[in-house]
Amino acid sequence: MGEIRPLSTLVIKDLMFETLKDKEFALSKTEHSFEEGAAEDTLYWIMELKAIDKGLIEENREVQESAWYATRMLVTEYSSNFRIEEVERMNEAFYLFLNRGIIAPGVHGLSSALPFFHITDHGKKCIEEKDILPYDIDGFTKKIKSINNIDEWVEFYLLEALKCYNANCYNATTVMIGLTSEKLIELLIESISNLLARKIYKYKDNSKKGLDLKKDFDSEIDNKKNISQKFTFIEDFIIKVIDINAKKEIENVLNRNIDKPARSSFVNFIRLNRNEVSHCADIKKDATETMLLFISFLKYCEKMSNAINDINNIK
């Protein structure tokens, strides 16, 4: 691949992960790997070799194991093939990994302090699945995958949201959460439509006796222009259209997971957040606000997924 310099913070983080993971590369170039721990200067040295091997940077000077006859703790743009911004980002990435619990100070039998470090158990999981786990110290990936009967697209959008968050793309995270919310509504629509197909329900209004309730439901849904209109129609349909027995059956399933006020409030809250970053409103989401949105949405997603699954299981 061609050079894009200086390497971004995200590329540097990814390069550090890949260097820590690639035992064969490390051993092919040096006598070091990171399974038993290493020193910070060794990591920077092999990162430079890795960056050249991947075509991220050019080898304009021979890569030395040391920088200016000292450890690579003192690496500079004049003692390596990295630029000054890249050296600073390497230092930032190393201490970010420390703060996130991916690596920790000390190597058994050598030292309990920096610059020696080892990869933690959490870090090993991160390195194995670096495309989705890099900074998942709170185990969000595990929480997403543990949701009972989660739809594959709901899972995909949530993992995309987590990737965006890890890349500091908070507006993009909010958009992906919005897509997940819309997918849950589409799945709710599908589950109710399928229920109407396998059970005989009646209209609340006896004047419509004999009409096809499922056909009318599907037709009304198709006529709605946006997802918020579809969601409003579903809530009104349950309350105003179908007879009391069906209303109780569907409402009981929904409410034992998440009641109507909570459903409506959360759907509108997510929609408003998504809309404000999907248009030119000059709004920048910050890390804390986005993480709180993500945490609360995970619980909502779990409740809605359970409700949809319960509707699918109504006999």
Side-chain angles (χ1 to χ4, degrees):
M1 59 183 294
E3 279 193 332
I4 302 177
R5 306 291 298 275
L7 302 179
S8 70
T9 300
L10 186 60
V11 171
I12 291 290
K13 291 175 184 175
D14 188 76
L15 178 65
M16 189 170 287
F17 263 111
E18 194 169 347
T19 304
L20 290 169
K21 179 179 181 179
D22 197 341
K23 176 182 177 181
E24 291 184 3
F25 178 83
L27 291 176
S28 71
K29 301 293 184 179
T30 72
E31 296 179 356
H32 302 275
S33 72
F34 300 98
E35 287 187 335
E36 304 300 327
E40 186 178 353
D41 55 316
T42 301
L43 174 61
Y44 290 2
W45 169 36
I46 300 179
M47 277 182 70
E48 183 176 357
L49 294 170
K50 188 75 171 174
I52 293 168
D53 185 72
K54 289 172 63 69
L56 295 173
I57 62 176
E58 291 183 356
E59 187 175 10
N60 294 318
R61 56 174 56 86
E62 183 181 355
V63 179
Q64 302 293 327
E65 185 171 353
S66 60
W68 291 101
Y69 306 103
T71 70
R72 280 182 169 261
M73 295 283 285
L74 301 175
V75 66
T76 72
E77 64 174 334
Y78 304 108
S79 61
S80 73
N81 292 285
F82 287 118
R83 296 182 182 177
I84 186 170
E85 301 96 333
E86 295 161 348
V87 174
E88 290 173 343
R89 288 165 187 170
M90 287 163 62
N91 291 327
E92 292 166 9
F94 183 83
Y95 281 91
L96 176 64
F97 286 15
L98 278 171
N99 290 334
R100 297 288 189 175
I102 294 166
I103 57 177
V107 174
H108 180 70
L110 285 178
S111 172
S112 61
L114 296 175
F116 295 98
F117 72 93
H118 65 277
I119 304 171
T120 65
D121 289 341
H122 167 69
K124 291 173 183 176
K125 293 178 182 178
C126 293
I127 289 167
E128 285 303 311
E129 300 184 58
K130 70 180 180 66
D131 61 328
I132 57 175
L133 277 176
Y135 317 113
D136 192 13
I137 190 68
D138 296 311
F140 288 115
T141 302
K142 184 178 180 180
K143 292 176 185 177
I144 292 168
K145 291 179 175 291
S146 68
I147 294 175
N148 187 37
N149 293 307
I150 187 171
D151 176 78
E152 63 176 322
W153 281 104
V154 171
E155 179 180 329
F156 172 78
Y157 289 138
L158 282 176
L159 293 176
E160 286 290 294
L162 184 57
K163 292 178 188 177
C164 291
Y165 186 86
N166 289 338
N168 303 327
C169 299
Y170 305 125
N171 282 29
T173 305
T174 305
V175 171
M176 297 311 301
I177 291 173
L179 284 176
T180 313
S181 179
E182 291 188 6
K183 183 60 181 179
L184 285 169
I185 295 173
E186 294 288 358
L187 290 169
L188 179 61
I189 292 169
E190 182 181 347
S191 67
I192 293 176
S193 178
N194 291 337
L195 176 61
L196 296 177
R198 67 177 181 271
K199 292 202 70 172
I200 298 175
Y201 290 128
K202 298 177 182 178
Y203 281 96
K204 189 174 183 180
D205 184 350
N206 289 328
S207 66
K208 294 184 178 181
K209 184 178 180 180
L211 295 178
D212 189 331
L213 189 58
K214 177 186 177 341
K215 183 178 180 180
D216 288 353
F217 175 84
D218 292 344
S219 177
E220 286 290 339
I221 286 293
D222 289 341
N223 287 332
K224 305 304 176 188
K225 293 182 179 180
N226 56 56
I227 200 71
S228 61
Q229 290 177 340
K230 292 180 180 182
F231 180 77
T232 300
F233 169 73
I234 292 173
E235 297 288 358
D236 290 342
F237 175 85
I238 295 170
I239 296 172
K240 299 177 182 178
V241 179
I242 53 181
D243 68 15
I244 191 66
N245 292 327
K247 175 179 180 292
K248 285 183 177 179
E249 193 165 43
I250 298 174
E251 271 204 321
N252 285 344
V253 167
L254 287 170
N255 288 341
R256 72 169 174 252
N257 289 288
I258 180 169
D259 61 30
K260 184 179 184 300
R263 291 196 305 271
S264 299
S265 297
F266 216 91
V267 165
N268 287 326
F269 176 65
I270 296 298
R271 178 177 59 83
L272 291 172
N273 272 272
R274 201 270 328 249
N275 286 349
E276 70 179 4
V277 297
S278 299
H279 306 289
C280 296
D282 298 333
I283 291 174
K284 292 182 180 180
K285 295 289 188 182
D286 63 31
T288 302
E289 178 186 10
T290 308
M291 179 51 67
L292 290 173
L293 178 65
F294 194 90
I295 292 170
S296 60
F297 185 78
L298 279 182
K299 193 64 178 178
Y300 167 78
C301 181
E302 180 182 10
K303 296 292 186 181
M304 284 295 289
S305 294
N306 288 337
I308 291 165
N309 184 55
D310 288 348
I311 291 173
N312 289 334
N313 288 328
I314 293 178
K315 303 298 183 184

